């Protein structure tokens, strides 16, 4: 089937490449000429495992192409116009800015009209972007002004991929949601995904557009809640002398709870949870049906990131001023170079403001972080070794694989003080005991160091 993918950010590019991989013909459109040039030259504008090779193979097979000209895409008579453009939060009220979604739909509709209309085709405009309830219906009105009613359909097909394992998530989805008032559109979407659903498992949930749009927000709000719950319980564990890792296991083995998203960390971030929780709150408040649990989650998550700073400060005896702190990890999670709303972007500026000399290292996200963090009182190391040289403390912020199995016996020799503050709990306490450093983690007893430091970590 022929697919036009409008917007080649994380979602659009991964989805477009994967559609090509499963045999469809895909033309990708983006208004950013640099992105299209890069992609046309075989480069990818961001890091995602396996994506570059997949795009190259499908370009060579003639199944995927890139353009900034929507008319060029429309000329290929696509069966689907997927809209995967960004929906950032409005700064003033947290609501989702859907203007890009509307202009993408309108541009496609106008180009179809300019080409001479639909010529008997029945395109489906599929909203992949995460959008507030009502957006897809409005798209129907916008497109209808150019193409006339009943000549096309609109559907909501929200995306659940996780950055860092996006291809895997596309190829083996837990579920696919197809929301539309048009049965024909729902059937076409099922057909499009058929190569993924042949195993016979019931994967495609067909529903109304409104329900499909809300499923996405509800899923992200629930996951953000789960993360925030365990982060809060982790802090309580520290006060009580309990172990948050064992606590997670103890509750996660209960099938009603499940063990995923029960890993404590420095607070959720990324391009989705922060903005989607805010957008859900806005929608709910507009309708006088507040989602107070979600409101609390947003507040607690924000405070949690500041508790992380307190933890670092206390481990250093009450002040970070003039201390050299090595921060390992800037991406909001491992296997991505995305730093949008990353905990590092909250914690590092506080360290800078309080007078610390910060050296940061991330295997792939440093360039993106530099755009936000700047270069005052901060150094960007090219290697982990360079970052930790002479450090008074190492703070682990992202769960990169390369941070999990370091030889701390050797690394400690290069530090001014062998203090590791692990805000991802990458090491077991047994491993930490053998590391020969002071080790402070989340929701667990500190290891090594003197009693005073342990007391500091507990506060
Ligand atoms: N990133 C994720 O992990 C993820 C997961 C699920 C859903 N989503 C949702 O998917 C949507 C896209 O997210 P993303 O992270 O891929 O965004 P992104 O910011 O990485 O990419 C958006 C792209 O859209 C392009 N664009 C903007 N307006 C356009 C227009 N009118 N025509 C053509 N291109 C246009 C931009 O140039 C950019 O390349 C958002 O609604 C997001 O909430 C994201």
């Amino acid at each position: 089937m022929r697919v036009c993918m409008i917007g080649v950010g994380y979602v659009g590019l991964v989805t477009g490449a994967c559609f090509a991989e499963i045999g469809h013909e895909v033309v990708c459109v983006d208004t950013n000429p640099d992105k299209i040039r890069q992609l046309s030259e075989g480069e990818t504008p961001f890091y995602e495992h396996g994506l570059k090779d997949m795009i190259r193979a499908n370009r060579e097979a003639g199944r995927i192409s890139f353009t900034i000209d929507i008319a060029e895409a429309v000329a290929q008579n696509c069966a689907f116009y997927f809209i995967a453009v960004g929906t950032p939060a409005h700064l003033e009220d947290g609501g989702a800015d859907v203007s890009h979604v509307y202009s993408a739909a309108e541009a496609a509709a106008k180009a179809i009209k300019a080409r001479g209309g639909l010529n008997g085709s029945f395109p489906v405009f599929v909203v992949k972007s995460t959008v507030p309830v009502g957006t897809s219906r409005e798209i129907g009105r916008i497109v209808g002004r150019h193409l006339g009613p009943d000549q096309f359909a609109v559907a909501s097909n929200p995306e659940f991929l996780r950055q860092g394992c996006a291809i895997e998530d596309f190829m083996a989805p837990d579920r696919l949601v197809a929301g539309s008032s048009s049965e024909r559109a729902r059937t076409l979407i099922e057909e499009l995904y058929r190569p993924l659903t042949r195993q016979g498992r019931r994967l495609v949930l067909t529903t109304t557009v409104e329900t499909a749009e809300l499923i996405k927000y509800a899923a992200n709000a629930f996951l953000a809640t789960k993360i925030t719950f365990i982060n809060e319980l982790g802090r309580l564990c520290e006060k009580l002398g309990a172990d948050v890792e064992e606590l997670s296991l103890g509750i996660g083995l209960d099938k009603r709870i499940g063990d995923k998203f029960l890993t404590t960390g420095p607070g959720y971030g990324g391009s989705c949870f922060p903005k989607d929780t805010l957008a859900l709150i806005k929608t709910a408040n507009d309708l006088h049906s507040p989602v107070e649990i979600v409101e609390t989650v947003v507040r607690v998550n924000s405070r949690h990131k500041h508790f992380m700073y307190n933890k670092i400060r206390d481990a250093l005896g009450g002040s970070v001023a003039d201390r050299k702190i090595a921060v390992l990890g800037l991406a909001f999670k491992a296997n991505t170079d995305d730093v949008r709303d990353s905990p590092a972007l909250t914690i590092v500026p506080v360290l800078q403001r309080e007078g610390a000399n910060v050296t940061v290292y991330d295997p792939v996200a440093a360039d993106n972080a530099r755009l936000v963090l700047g270069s005052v009182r901060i150094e960007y190391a090219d290697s982990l070794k360079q970052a930790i040289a002479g450090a008074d403390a190492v703070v682990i912020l992202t769960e990169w694989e390369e941070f999990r199995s370091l030889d701390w016996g050797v690394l400690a020799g290069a530090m001014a003080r062998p203090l590791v503050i692990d805000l991802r709990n990458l090491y077991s306490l047994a491993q930490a005991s053998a590391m020969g450093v002071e080790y402070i983690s989340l929701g667990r007893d500190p290891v090594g160091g003197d009693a005073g430091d342990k007391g500091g970590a507990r506060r």
Side-chain angles (χ1 to χ4, degrees):
M1 298 169 102
R2 207 160 268 172
V3 176
C4 172
M5 184 62 64
I6 308 177
V8 283
Y10 252 101
V11 168
L13 191 56
V14 171
T15 313
C18 289
F19 276 144
E21 181 74 10
I22 62 174
H24 300 303
E25 285 177 31
V26 183
V27 51
C28 298
V29 189
D30 201 289
T31 43
N32 182 333
D34 290 339
K35 261 190 192 177
I36 295 301
R37 183 187 41 75
Q38 256 183 304
L39 286 162
S40 304
E41 289 169 0
E43 290 304 318
T44 40
F46 55 84
Y47 174 78
E48 181 64 40
H49 183 66
L51 185 62
K52 197 170 169 179
D53 290 344
M54 181 184 276
I55 293 172
R56 188 187 313 120
N58 282 287
R59 274 184 72 224
E60 282 165 17
R63 282 194 299 265
I64 192 164
S65 60
F66 302 94
T67 177
I68 56 162
D69 186 2
I70 185 74
E72 204 180 295
V74 160
Q76 297 183 29
N77 225 2
C78 298
F80 297 95
Y81 291 91
F82 271 80
I83 300 174
V85 301
T87 48
H90 279 300
L91 286 179
E92 62 281 14
D93 61 7
D97 175 358
V98 290
S99 58
H100 302 294
V101 175
Y102 291 150
S103 59
E106 179 136 48
K110 275 183 174 167
I112 294 171
K113 190 175 181 191
R115 178 200 67 166
L118 289 164
N119 302 323
S121 67
F122 181 81
V124 184
F125 287 75
V126 188
V127 184
K128 250 291 163 230
S129 301
T130 303
V131 294
V133 174
T135 307
S136 301
R137 289 233 180 257
E138 181 58 23
I139 288 176
R141 283 188 280 273
I142 291 170
V143 175
R145 285 203 290 267
H146 300 281
L147 302 185
D150 306 326
Q151 311 296 306
F152 67 93
V154 177
S156 164
N157 172 223
E159 183 52 62
F160 302 102
L161 61 77
R162 293 164 299 167
Q163 290 176 215
C165 41
I167 292 177
E168 198 183 308
D169 284 350
F170 180 95
M171 293 297 175
D174 291 333
R175 81 300 207 187
L176 296 157
V177 174
S180 181
S181 56
S182 158
E183 198 181 332
R184 191 170 166 189
R186 293 197 301 260
T187 307
L188 282 165
I189 291 176
E190 286 195 76
E191 194 55 39
L192 182 74
Y193 283 105
R194 184 86 63 217
L196 304 178
T197 60
R198 281 209 186 101
Q199 293 83 1
R201 251 184 342 125
R202 186 171 180 263
L203 273 176
V204 184
L205 171 72
T206 52
T207 179
T208 62
V209 259
E210 286 77 13
T211 308
E213 288 169 335
L214 192 56
I215 283 172
K216 175 65 193 173
Y217 282 108
N220 277 357
F222 189 82
L223 294 173
T225 303
K226 229 177 152 185
I227 292 174
T228 307
F229 177 81
I230 201 65
N231 284 341
E232 205 164 48
L233 268 282
R235 295 208 307 271
L236 184 60
C237 283
E238 290 177 19
K239 301 279 184 192
L240 296 173
D243 184 314
V244 74
E245 296 298 322
E246 289 168 11
L247 181 81
S248 290
L249 195 64
I251 61 174
L253 285 171
D254 184 331
K255 287 194 182 67
R256 292 169 304 176
I257 296 173
D259 59 357
K260 303 281 189 305
F261 280 73
L262 277 183
T263 310
T264 187
Y268 65 75
S271 64
C272 293
F273 289 178
K275 83 171 173 59
D276 293 349
T277 43
L278 290 179
L280 180 60
I281 291 168
K282 168 81 167 62
T283 300
N285 283 341
D286 285 351
L287 297 169
H288 307 293
S289 182
V291 282
E292 293 178 56
I293 290 175
V294 186
E295 287 177 20
T296 305
V297 165
V298 170
R299 201 176 59 245
V300 173
N301 186 59
S302 164
R303 272 178 39 210
H304 184 70
K305 292 180 185 173
H306 289 279
F307 279 123
M308 297 299 97
Y309 164 72
N310 295 349
K311 204 172 170 77
I312 298 166
R313 182 199 60 201
D314 292 350
L316 283 163
S319 168
V320 298
D322 297 322
R323 301 302 185 97
K324 183 175 179 211
I325 299 178
V327 170
L328 302 186
L330 297 164
F332 83 93
K333 64 175 187 173
N335 302 322
T336 177
D337 60 358
D338 200 337
V339 299
R340 288 179 278 186
D341 265 311
S342 171
L345 300 192
T346 302
I347 296 166
V348 171
V350 182
L351 291 171
Q352 289 170 291
R353 200 182 60 220
E354 297 300 318
N357 297 311
V358 187
T359 307
V360 296
Y361 168 70
D362 188 288
V364 298
D367 287 346
N368 286 340
R370 196 192 305 263
L371 298 174
V372 189
L373 294 174
S375 46
V376 178
R377 285 194 97 95
I378 184 166
E379 270 179 48
Y380 295 84
D382 293 328
S383 69
L384 185 140
K385 262 190 178 163
Q386 191 189 336
I388 67 163
D392 293 300
V394 164
V395 178
I396 302 176
L397 274 185
T398 309
E399 72 281 28
W400 283 103
E401 201 54 42
E402 72 169 275
F403 302 159
R404 286 180 190 275
S405 50
L406 296 169
D407 186 344
W408 287 104
V410 173
L411 295 175
M415 295 171 65
R417 174 180 169 188
L419 169 62
V420 176
I421 304 167
D422 179 2
L423 302 181
R424 290 288 182 173
N425 286 10
L426 299 188
Y427 295 88
S428 69
L429 292 187
Q431 286 172 315
S433 304
M435 276 160 45
V437 296
E438 301 168 58
Y439 178 83
I440 292 171
S441 58
L442 295 173
R444 303 182 296 182
D445 279 343
V447 174
D450 59 34
D453 285 328
K454 287 181 193 181
R458 285 258 180 141
R459 271 191 294 277

